[in-house]
Amino acid sequence: MSGKATVVLGAQWGDEGKGKLVDVLSAEADICARCAGGNNAGHTIVAPGPDGKKTTFAFHLLPSGLVNRTTAGLIGAGVVVHIPSFFEELDQLEAQGLDCTGRLFVSDRAHIVFDFHQIVDGLKEVELGAKSIGTTKRGIGPAYSSKASRSGMRIHHLFDHDTFAQKFRKLVEGRFKRYGHFEYDTEGEIERYKALADRLRPYVVDSVVYLHSALASGKRVLVEGANALMLDLDYGTYPFVTSSSTTIGGVCTGLGLPPRAIGQTIGVVKAYTTRVGGGPFPTEQLNDVGVHLQEVGREFGVTTGRRRRCGWLDLVVMKHSCLINGYDSLNLTKLDILDDIAEIKVAVRYLVDEKELPGFPADLDVLAKVDVVYVTLPGWKTSIAEITEYNALPDNCRKYIEFIENFLNVPIEYIGVGPGRESMIRKPLPAA
């Protein structure tokens, strides 16, 4: 990990369990950095608290590598930051005994999510009606819209209060013109942000200098992706996507890193598929299998509490994901959730009018018409939750893993068999 950044990215529609791998890898990292998204992300990590007892830590905006007490956290320029949520999350972690003093930093170039962005997020969903995207209503999309239209405000703007107030009034007035005069205390918010600016100031850094200085001195940097490839603004199931770049390209732009500064890229893939909100989902199982995956897999969103839609593993999606992100290895998560299933299906091709599609289609109308071709593999019908070595896994379990590796031509390096940080099998990579 030394001298180059190791990157962890979601390979499906999010909720793959990235936080747990980040937690494991953070034990060897000096810095854990977020590059995109905002507090619409949701990672839960089960780790020892200060009393040694297992504690569940929830991360939304802050880098989840902070759960390791020697790792610093950086929120990069590509992230959009809702400052009250930043402090709420920080206060909650510290109340659980996780001291982040002197090891949490925010880029001065990061854009700010204001409460009016969150109000507008809800209004946009209402306006879309039945065609709503299913956003988290955290204001992420409207904040990125402000950024793209060059009317947004960045962290550094907080520290010139008069200029901040002037820009803020203009920004709110623009939203009133677009959505009508919704209830919002503009002057009260200006005063609130004066106090928040004072509290935030010690955390703010020039993230480009900070990160490149760290790499130059041999420090180990871990990048924690948010959301996932299929939610990417360009390569996901648009418009049912997030508002940022969730790919390896977003790592470069969100942190100011050149490609040569990136070492290993690890894709995190659930042993089945889930997604939240609207949008197409070719392998979705609206039957007993789907219910089983939801209930046994505890498939409820960390950020929203919403029940996740569930289906079989889709290797057409994964092939698309591997092409774009170029994973060096994969982390297969929640494999234990398949323990009780007698026959496990895996999607390997999409057909339209009996012709195979060459890749994952851009057009959702085409995607809605696909016939999914599955391969059926035998289950293992035994618990793998206590297994710690790859060769100790049941034969059919290893065959499932190896089928995925062979299809994608990417090795699986980490295998999750339970929620705890100790429930991660490290599988040796083949010799180069």
Side-chain angles (χ1 to χ4, degrees):
M1 204 185 275
S2 183
K4 289 196 173 185
T6 297
V7 178
V8 174
L9 295 171
Q12 297 158 301
W13 274 286
D15 309 309
E16 300 93 350
K18 297 178 290 294
K20 187 171 134 186
L21 181 62
V22 169
D23 173 38
V24 169
L25 296 178
S26 290
E28 300 173 8
D30 299 300
I31 298 167
C32 178
R34 280 276 311 270
C35 58
N39 63 327
N40 57 336
H43 296 160
T44 47
I45 293 174
V46 180
D51 56 2
K53 290 182 182 174
K54 281 188 178 180
T55 305
T56 300
F57 297 97
F59 291 86
H60 300 279
L61 176 61
L62 306 190
S64 55
L66 287 167
V67 79
N68 287 280
R69 292 157 202 273
T70 58
T71 304
L74 173 67
I75 294 174
V79 180
V80 289
V81 181
H82 183 247
I83 298 167
S85 295
F86 172 92
F87 286 117
E88 282 169 26
E89 192 171 324
L90 180 59
D91 291 345
Q92 175 60 35
L93 292 173
E94 299 208 320
Q96 291 180 281
L98 197 60
D99 184 5
C100 300
T101 305
R103 61 187 187 100
L104 176 58
F105 306 99
V106 184
S107 172
D108 55 0
R109 289 177 167 87
H111 276 250
I112 303 169
V113 181
F114 294 106
D115 284 9
F116 72 78
H117 285 127
Q118 299 182 336
I119 294 168
V120 165
D121 211 355
L123 292 173
K124 285 172 78 79
E125 286 286 271
V126 170
E127 189 175 71
L128 287 166
K131 295 181 179 177
S132 69
I133 306 300
T135 78
T136 58
K137 298 186 178 65
R138 296 292 196 271
I140 307 304
Y144 276 116
S145 294
S146 294
K147 176 178 179 175
S149 64
R150 300 178 299 282
S151 61
M153 297 181 71
R154 307 202 292 186
I155 294 292
H156 64 84
H157 287 126
L158 290 168
F159 305 116
D160 179 344
H161 185 68
D162 291 342
T163 304
F164 170 83
Q166 183 183 347
K167 286 177 177 287
F168 186 80
R169 290 186 189 102
K170 188 175 178 182
L171 194 52
V172 175
E173 200 55 45
R175 294 303 171 273
F176 285 160
K177 285 176 182 173
R178 167 66 178 83
Y179 292 99
H181 203 291
F182 50 84
E183 188 176 330
Y184 191 70
D185 181 2
T186 304
E187 297 306 312
E189 283 293 274
I190 288 170
E191 285 307 305
R192 179 164 78 130
Y193 273 88
K194 189 174 186 179
L196 285 170
D198 289 339
R199 188 178 176 193
L200 188 67
R201 191 185 292 271
Y203 299 90
V204 178
V205 295
D206 179 332
S207 59
V208 175
V209 172
Y210 173 81
L211 205 52
H212 281 270
S213 298
L215 287 168
S217 66
K219 290 201 170 163
R220 298 161 299 178
V221 174
L222 177 64
V223 180
E224 173 181 12
N227 311 121
L229 186 281
M230 297 308 294
L231 296 172
D232 181 73
L233 191 56
D234 293 305
Y235 298 104
T237 47
Y238 185 89
F240 297 93
V241 293
T242 193
S243 300
S244 59
S245 175
T246 61
T247 66
I248 191 69
V251 173
C252 296
T253 57
L255 288 169
L257 286 176
R260 68 172 179 268
I262 293 171
Q264 187 181 15
T265 302
I266 306 169
V268 184
V269 51
K270 204 176 278 187
Y272 49 100
T273 309
T274 64
R275 80 169 298 174
V276 170
F281 185 174
T283 65
E284 184 170 15
Q285 298 297 299
L286 299 171
N287 53 27
D288 290 347
V289 170
V291 172
H292 176 88
L293 294 173
Q294 277 179 343
E295 300 297 336
V296 178
R298 303 167 298 282
E299 294 296 349
F300 302 92
V302 178
T303 299
T304 61
R306 288 183 291 184
R307 185 182 283 262
R308 297 180 188 131
R309 300 156 63 193
C310 296
W312 296 118
L313 179 63
D314 190 334
L315 293 184
V316 180
V317 164
M318 280 304 304
K319 183 76 89 171
H320 177 69
S321 186
C322 291
L323 288 173
I324 292 161
N325 283 335
Y327 307 117
D328 296 295
S329 65
L330 297 172
N331 171 201
L332 186 67
T333 65
K334 300 188 87 163
L335 187 58
D336 56 305
I337 306 306
L338 304 181
D339 281 352
D340 294 326
I341 299 178
E343 289 188 331
I344 301 166
K345 291 186 176 182
V346 181
V348 293
R349 289 188 294 154
Y350 292 169
L351 304 181
V352 173
D353 299 328
E354 299 184 356
K355 292 181 181 175
E356 183 175 355
L357 296 183
F360 191 89
D363 189 332
L364 299 195
D365 291 335
V366 173
L367 189 60
K369 293 189 289 191
V370 300
D371 293 314
V372 181
V373 178
Y374 291 99
V375 168
T376 301
L377 298 168
W380 43 94
K381 296 289 285 181
T382 187
S383 174
I384 59 171
E386 302 300 320
I387 293 176
T388 57
E389 297 287 336
Y390 179 69
N391 288 331
L393 290 169
D395 285 350
N396 285 346
C397 187
R398 293 201 308 276
K399 284 175 183 173
Y400 184 71
I401 293 164
E402 287 158 15
F403 180 87
I404 297 166
E405 288 183 313
N406 292 334
F407 189 93
L408 298 175
N409 197 28
V410 180
I412 291 172
E413 185 177 5
Y414 299 92
I415 301 158
V417 295
R421 60 162 59 156
E422 71 286 350
S423 301
M424 184 81 87
I425 297 170
R426 178 90 181 265
K427 178 173 165 284
L429 288 175

